[in-house]
Each structure stands twice: as structure tokens, then as C-alpha cells.
Amino acid sequence: MKRILLIGKDGQLGQELQPFLGSLGSFVAVGRDTLDLSKSQEIGRLIEEIKPEWVINAAAYTAVDKAESEPELAMAINGIAPGVLAKCCQQLDATFIHISTDYVFDGTQSHPYIETDLTHPIGVYGQSKLAGEIAIQDTQAQFAILRTAWVYGVGGTGNFVKTMLRLGKEREEIRVVCDQVGSPTWTGDLAKSIVELIPRLNSETYGIYHCTNSGVTSWYDFAIAIFEEAELLGFPLKIKRVIPITTPEYPTPARRPAYSVLSGKKLANLLGTHAPQWRQGLRRMLQELKVKQAI
Ligand SMILES: NC(=O)c1ccc[n+]([C@@H]2O[C@H](COP(=O)([O-])OP(=O)(O)OC[C@H]3O[C@@H](n4cnc5c(N)ncnc54)[C@H](OP(=O)(O)O)[C@@H]3O)[C@@H](O)[C@H]2O)c1
């Protein structure tokens, strides 16, 4: 039985991962109260105490807009801590699995980004996540970095799907950006891919992987799909109109990539399976949300 340390147990992905981890070994899941990643001096002590063989970091500073005014904190958690974690893993001969983001790219491409494409983040969050990737690669650790995008799940404090369901319940009309495209990714499919990847990691396969649901949509079309699927499942909805707007019509502190599509071919080749289509993931998430009545 492998010994696994999961960091970030209370986030969307961290919550989703836990039921899967038992199939890989025995695991300890910690949250911010046990390990605060902004205090990197605490990392070594915990890892030394647990002596894991695999460390999964699902924790991050994920407040994309707030990061613009808290760059030091975002950098401490996303940029510095992953390097310290990787170094500790290296010392223990453990394998480090880290989650990164489409925001390491600037979104100016018009075909899916592959793992070796040039990174160029356009905001503080993306810069901090890229710094984390570089810090990990600068160690001699055995690692996998999984870049994902547009993540949503039943757990955690909030995401686009939950926000749309709330707004759709309160309002007849909402305006949603239509000129940013990406691949909405359900934590259930993401967690499954991570757990399938881990046993396949070895000196031939360490490295960066892109891991999202397949297919491409805009936030506007995603919102419409959320309402269509939610209506079929009987969620209470008042919404009558979804109005497409452009990014300049919805100004935010952080710029976002216009094109956030990641090619999943490298991971699909390794796992021998294709990522489920995004709408299928959405349907599964809404079914789960309905059962748990988590809204
Ligand atoms: N959400 C997305 O759309 C998206 C897109 C691309 C990539 N990603 C990446 O996917 C991964 C998982 O994201 P997610 O959506 O599951 O994130 P999330 O729901 O926001 O969860 C992040 C977790 O990190 C924890 N955390 C924050 N600061 C911390 C600190 N100083 N020390 C320890 N823990 C801390 C949070 O703790 P608290 O619960 O105490 O706040 C939270 O549980 C992250 O690496 C993220 O960058 C996410």
C-alpha cells in the first residue's frame, strides 16, 4: 500500500479526490489549518512526519481577480510552496503531483495548446502558477504537473456552474461573456484522470500533462447548457434570457485568456482513454448536486 499525502482537502478538487484515493493506498488529507502553504517553512516538517510516497497538491491561491492586488500572497502559495514541496519529495524519493492551469498561456493561439507551447501568463494568478511549475522543474523531483481549466464540482465554495444556478434562480435575465472559449472541466473527471495517471508515473512519464474535459465552448454557451441541463433535472429556475456580451463589457481586475483550450492528447495516449465531453461532465455534476441538494 502506497502512502499518500493530499494537500488542499477542502477545495473543489481536493474534496473530489478523496473517495478515489483509497484505491491507490492509504492517505492523509490536510487542509489549510494543518498546512498553510504561505508559510513554506512548515512544509518540510509535515512531509517529514508523514513520509508519503506520493504527494498531491490540490491547494492553490485561486482568486484570480484578487491576486492582482495580493501578488505576494499568490506567489507565496502558487509560486514558492510548490517548489518547496517538490524539494521535500525529492529528499524522500516521493513523487509529486501538482495541479496547474490554462492561465499559464496568454490565450492568443487559435488551436489547442500542447504541453510544450510557449507560456506567457497575462495576469498575476497565471504568473504565480507558472512560477510554481518552474520551481518544481528546477528540482530533481519525480513529478507530474497537470494543467487543467474552467474547473467546477459539487464541493468547494463556488464556481461558474453554482453561480449560474444561483443567478438563474433569482433573475430572469443575465449577461454572460461570449468571446472567451475553453473546456469546462468537472472535478469528477479530473480526479479520475489524476488517479489513473499516478500508477503510470515513472522515469519515462514524469512531466507536464494537460487534463480537461474534451470539447470547446464559450462562457455564454456554457451558461445556456447549464440552464438546459438544470431544467431537465428540475432545478428551480426563473431565467428567461441569457444575453451574450463581450469581454470589454464585463471588466474584471484580471485579464483572462480568450482561447483556453488545452490539447489532452498526451494524457489520452498514456491513459489509453479520451477525456469525456464537457457536457457529459456537466450533466453528471448536476445530477450529483441534485442528489446531494448542495445548492
Ligand atoms: N477553479 C478553476 O477553474 C481552475 C482552473 C484551472 C486550474 N485550477 C487549479 O486546480 C487546482 C484545484 O483548484 P480548485 O478549483 O479545487 O480550487 P479551490 O476550490 O479554490 O480550492 C483551493 C484550496 O486551496 C486551499 N488554500 C488556499 N490557500 C491556501 C494556503 N495558504 N495553504 C493551504 N491551503 C490553501 C483552499 O483552502 P480553504 O478551503 O481554507 O480556502 C482551498 O481548499 C488548483 O491548483 C488551481 O490552481 C483551477
Side-chain angles (χ1 to χ4, degrees):
M1 287 285 271
K2 294 273 190 185
R3 205 166 160 71
I4 305 158
L5 170 63
L6 170 67
I7 299 163
K9 74 172 173 62
D10 300 314
Q12 303 190 83
L13 177 61
Q15 287 188 36
E16 192 81 66
L17 272 166
Q18 291 173 60
F20 285 93
L21 291 182
S23 67
L24 289 178
S26 65
F27 72 93
V28 178
V30 299
R32 193 201 295 251
D33 49 349
T34 305
L35 178 63
D36 183 343
L37 291 178
S38 67
K39 298 173 182 146
S40 57
Q41 67 280 8
E42 291 178 6
I43 293 173
R45 192 158 20 99
L46 183 84
I47 300 222
E48 190 50 47
E49 191 184 309
I50 295 174
K51 294 194 171 41
E53 289 156 284
W54 287 325
V55 175
I56 306 171
N57 181 25
Y61 182 108
T62 54
V64 173
D65 287 320
K66 210 169 161 199
E68 297 294 315
S69 52
E70 290 186 335
E72 290 88 8
L73 186 59
M75 189 56 80
I77 298 166
N78 294 346
I80 296 170
V84 178
L85 283 165
K87 192 98 201 142
C88 293
C89 286
Q90 185 194 334
Q91 282 159 2
L92 279 183
D93 207 23
T95 302
F96 184 43
I97 296 97
H98 178 74
I99 315 302
S100 192
T101 173
D102 53 322
Y103 280 37
V104 298
F105 297 115
D106 60 16
T108 54
Q109 210 161 277
S110 52
H111 53 277
Y113 283 96
I114 62 167
E115 287 76 358
T116 48
D117 276 332
L118 195 66
T119 51
H120 181 225
I122 53 174
V124 169
Y125 167 74
Q127 284 156 7
S128 70
K129 293 291 287 184
L130 178 61
E133 290 190 4
I134 293 168
I136 294 166
Q137 292 171 89
D138 280 348
T139 68
Q140 299 302 311
Q142 304 156 3
F143 72 87
I145 294 170
L146 282 103
R147 293 185 186 135
T148 187
W150 292 32
V151 176
Y152 63 91
V154 168
T157 48
N159 55 51
F160 186 77
V161 177
K162 286 183 173 180
T163 302
M164 286 302 114
L165 291 175
R166 179 175 51 78
L167 293 177
K169 198 171 153 185
E170 294 166 2
R171 301 187 195 170
E172 290 194 350
E173 183 177 296
I174 58 164
R175 291 147 46 92
V176 184
V177 169
C178 66
D179 55 1
Q180 291 169 27
V181 296
S183 308
T185 300
W186 176 44
T187 49
D189 289 326
L190 178 58
K192 188 165 171 282
S193 295
I194 293 170
V195 167
E196 284 172 7
L197 171 69
I198 289 175
R200 290 174 166 87
L201 290 173
N202 56 49
S203 55
E204 308 274 285
T205 57
Y206 296 132
I208 300 180
Y209 291 87
H210 288 174
C211 184
T212 63
N213 276 120
S214 61
V216 180
T217 190
S218 68
W219 290 115
Y220 166 76
D221 284 311
F222 187 30
I224 290 182
I226 292 166
F227 296 134
E228 284 174 358
E229 297 292 340
E231 192 172 17
L232 288 175
L233 288 168
F235 280 79
L237 290 174
K238 200 167 150 187
I239 192 81
K240 290 200 171 70
R241 280 174 304 280
V242 183
I243 316 269
I245 58 168
T246 61
T247 299
E249 289 177 274
Y250 188 75
T252 52
R255 284 174 63 209
R256 283 154 168 81
Y259 183 86
S260 261
V261 185
L262 304 180
S263 166
K265 277 188 191 153
K266 183 181 172 190
L267 186 62
N269 284 340
L270 180 62
L271 300 185
T273 53
H274 284 282
Q277 217 269 347
W278 66 264
R279 192 155 179 147
Q280 202 180 317
L282 170 64
R283 204 168 293 146
R284 297 274 309 279
M285 181 272 194
L286 289 173
Q287 284 164 349
E288 197 187 309
L289 193 60
K290 180 88 179 147
V291 170
K292 292 190 176 161
Q293 296 197 315
I295 54 159

